[in-house]
Structure formats: C-alpha cells, structure tokens
Amino acid sequence: SGVIAFYYILVKWQGKLLKPSLGNIVLTIRKSTDVFLNNLMPNLYNSFSMVLLGFFGGEVANGKLDAGTKFVNIAQQFLSVLSRAFFPFLSRKLDKHQFYARVNLALSLCMSLLLFLFAPLIIDWFFTDEFVDSIIVLHIMSISIVFLALTNIYGTNYMIIAGYERQLRNITMVVSIIGFALSFPLIYYWGFIGAAITVTMTRGLLGFGIMFRVKTLKR
C-alpha cells in the first residue's frame, strides 16, 4: 500500500519530495509538543499498571490481566483507525462533528456490550481453564471502550482540530497523575482486578473530563 501511495503521489499527481529546513523541523516539533505529551501521559496509568501488577502479583496475575484486555485492545485499535480516518475530514468540516460523534459512540457501545455479554464465551474459546478469572477483567475493561471513544471524539477529533491542544494536554496530565496515584492501592489490594479498575476508571475520568470541557467551550 505504501508503494502504491508513492506511485500516485510522485507519478500520477506529480508530487515532489522537498528537503525540510532545520527551522521548519524545530518549529514542527515545538508545535507538536502538546499533542506528544497528550499521547505519552496515559502510559502513567496504562502501561505502568502492568509493571506494578507484575511487581505485586507476579506473572500469573499479569497473564490474567493480559488475557482479559486482548479483545478490548482490538476494539481500541478499531476505534483508533476510525478516529484517524475521520480526522482529515473533520479538519475541513468541523460542523460534521456531531455526525461523527454519533457514529463512533454507537459503534463503541455495541462493541462494549458484545464483549461484556460474551466475556465468558470468549475466554472459554480462546484460553484455557486457568484463565477463568480473566472473565471479570474483560467485564470491567469492556466498559472502557466507551470512555476511549469519548476521548477520541472530543479530544483528538475536536480539541486538537479546534486548536485547544494545550487544554487537552492539561486535562490528560491531571487525570493521568490521578490514575497513577490510584494504581498503587488498587493493585496492591485487588491485584489484576485492581489494575483493570484503575485503567477503566481513569479512562472514564479522562473521557468525561474532555467531553464536559468541550461542552463548555461550545457554549
């Protein structure tokens, strides 16, 4: 697909490759700092939860958490692809944001409901009996799909497009620090279930926090 894309750009559309100046590179990096931090900060509660769980609960606990999150991650990737597909369209026609929000929310609710209802069947089909505890992880994490959709809808595909990158970064940083702080007691006392609660609860705070901020900005 990359070779075909370059054929269209360079041959069919007569596009030219230009060497960027050092000044333009530095300016681009500076302008992208807020977006970079916005993408980086969720690792404080997301990836760190797995590290902390491995420290407190060991490999078995990490395996149960991983099994319960695999299908949620697949749904997350699908929503990310949808978000990236709509991004250039919304950059030109932000007035169509409401339509995109309805489509994304409807899909995320369907995926969340399906994973929640079929969690026992999914774990039984794809994993061995030792992973039966992963069902509750999938139940908890399936809820986070809707929260991820809210973040994509109102964060990536509204606040960044509308020029509110810094406000989005601030919300993400505050919520990520809260999730980081919550991960210690929750994982220490409830292990892999605590890790699933940490990630889901923090994604909920982030999704709703961004959504309410956008509602305020629109008013």
Side-chain angles (χ1 to χ4, degrees):
S1 61
V3 171
I4 293 170
F6 266 102
Y7 166 76
Y8 271 91
I9 293 168
L10 300 177
V11 179
K12 193 140 182 147
W13 298 335
Q14 299 295 308
K16 296 186 182 299
L17 296 177
L18 302 175
K19 183 180 178 181
S21 67
L22 181 61
N24 281 337
I25 292 172
V26 172
L27 181 64
T28 302
I29 292 172
R30 286 176 60 189
K31 291 170 84 173
S32 303
T33 301
D34 291 329
V35 177
F36 170 74
L37 289 174
N38 182 67
N39 291 331
L40 179 70
M41 289 304 292
N43 287 307
L44 268 180
Y45 65 88
N46 206 347
S47 300
F48 183 75
S49 292
M50 295 200 72
V51 175
L52 198 60
L53 180 61
F55 180 77
F56 286 132
E59 294 178 357
V60 174
N62 253 338
K64 291 177 179 179
L65 177 68
D66 184 60
T69 57
K70 280 189 184 298
F71 289 89
V72 174
N73 290 338
I74 293 171
Q76 179 182 355
Q77 289 300 317
F78 177 80
L79 291 176
S80 296
V81 169
L82 186 68
S83 174
R84 288 195 294 269
F86 268 91
F87 187 87
F89 170 74
L90 293 170
S91 295
R92 299 190 305 272
K93 298 182 178 181
L94 194 54
D95 58 306
K96 302 294 184 182
H97 183 265
Q98 197 62 33
F99 167 75
Y100 161 71
R102 289 171 182 166
V103 171
N104 203 328
L105 269 178
L107 286 171
S108 64
L109 282 168
C110 288
M111 288 187 289
S112 179
L113 189 61
L114 286 172
L115 287 179
F116 188 89
L117 293 176
F118 292 101
L121 204 58
I122 291 169
I123 299 299
D124 182 55
W125 277 358
F126 292 95
F127 300 97
T128 58
D129 293 339
E130 289 81 6
F131 289 93
V132 68
D133 290 336
S134 298
I135 294 172
I136 190 169
V137 174
L138 185 50
H139 276 147
I140 295 168
M141 292 293 292
S142 64
I143 303 169
S144 72
I145 295 172
V146 178
F147 303 148
L148 286 168
L150 291 176
T151 302
N152 286 334
I153 292 167
Y154 295 102
T156 306
N157 282 355
Y158 187 86
M159 293 190 77
I160 290 177
I161 292 173
Y164 298 111
E165 298 100 327
R166 183 156 296 182
Q167 292 192 39
L168 177 61
R169 180 207 65 186
N170 292 340
I171 295 170
T172 304
M173 288 182 72
V174 170
V175 172
S176 297
I177 292 169
I178 292 172
F180 177 76
L182 289 173
S183 65
F184 286 90
L186 288 173
I187 293 173
Y188 180 79
Y189 287 107
W190 291 298
F192 60 90
I193 295 175
I197 293 171
T198 298
V199 174
T200 301
M201 188 163 55
T202 310
R203 286 176 177 176
L205 287 172
L206 183 60
F208 281 111
I210 293 171
M211 183 185 72
F212 288 133
R213 183 57 187 154
V214 169
K215 298 292 185 184
T216 304
L217 289 170
K218 283 184 176 181
R219 286 198 296 269

